[in-house]
Amino acid sequence: MKKVITYGTFDLLHYGHILLLQRAKELGDYLIVALSTDQFNGLKGKDAYFTYEERKMMLESIKYVDLVIPEENWEQKQKDIIQWEVDTFVMGDDWEGKFDELSDCCTVIYLARTPDISTTSIKSSLQATP
Ligand code: C2G
């Protein structure tokens, strides 16, 4: 079984996230999503609208996703890859080059971000709406 892993906050789930997850799943047979905890989001400077449990439940309902695990820090990726016997690490290309060191233990792939959609843009357009 070919395992794929990806990491993120996945707040206010939108089609950019879904297209990332769909393409990630196409790279293997089993997709693990390491979901940023509320505490780690604080370290990332992100204030997620939905809690970790709410975001986890939504991700687990997506047909491409096989397992959701917590992402608690920046340093856990190599351990996760070894522990879960991951073949491919995938991120959107806004992270291009940032995780190349992981190529020592798996294939590292950066997928093109879906243009014109982001959690931040959703929040700001809703705030602007009268
Ligand atoms: N993404 C995308 N297209 C978008 C928006 C997001 O392909 N329009 C991708 C991002 O590139 C990322 C994933 O969806 O691979 C999740 O996005 P975020 O929740 O914003 O993840 P981020 O905060 O970048 O967390 O350790 C890694 C971090 O946890 C990544």
Side-chain angles (χ1 to χ4, degrees):
M1 179 190 320
K2 198 164 179 208
K3 291 186 183 177
V4 182
I5 196 167
T6 191
Y7 292 72
T9 298
F10 295 96
D11 190 32
L12 299 186
L13 206 58
H14 56 69
Y15 62 88
H17 295 137
I18 302 300
L19 288 170
L20 186 284
L21 295 170
Q22 178 184 39
R23 288 175 292 161
K25 183 58 176 284
E26 285 166 1
L27 295 169
D29 313 290
Y30 190 89
L31 175 60
I32 302 168
V33 178
L35 181 62
S36 307
T37 61
D38 298 328
Q39 294 75 10
F40 183 49
N41 275 331
L43 290 178
K44 290 184 356 180
K46 282 201 166 187
D47 179 19
Y49 180 82
F50 290 120
T51 66
Y52 174 80
E53 288 306 323
E54 290 164 339
R55 291 179 285 119
K56 179 174 184 284
M57 178 272 253
M58 286 187 247
L59 282 174
E60 287 172 338
S61 69
I62 298 170
K63 63 182 179 182
Y64 307 120
V65 176
D66 296 289
L67 175 68
V68 178
I69 62 172
E71 179 188 27
E72 297 169 302
N73 57 66
W74 291 109
E75 297 77 25
Q76 70 182 75
K77 295 183 176 69
Q78 183 158 5
K79 176 184 65 65
D80 292 344
I81 287 163
I82 293 163
Q83 178 185 338
W84 291 99
E85 299 174 319
V86 168
D87 302 278
T88 306
F89 167 88
V90 173
M91 290 300 293
D93 64 4
D94 45 320
W95 293 94
E96 182 87 37
K98 298 289 191 308
F99 303 113
D100 290 355
E101 75 281 1
L102 296 174
S103 58
D104 294 343
C105 49
C106 70
T107 304
V108 175
I109 293 179
Y110 301 100
L111 297 171
R113 262 179 83 91
T114 301
D116 308 323
I117 181 74
S118 69
T119 302
T120 307
S121 65
I122 292 168
K123 285 181 178 176
S124 49
S125 65
L126 287 174
Q127 278 158 2
T129 310

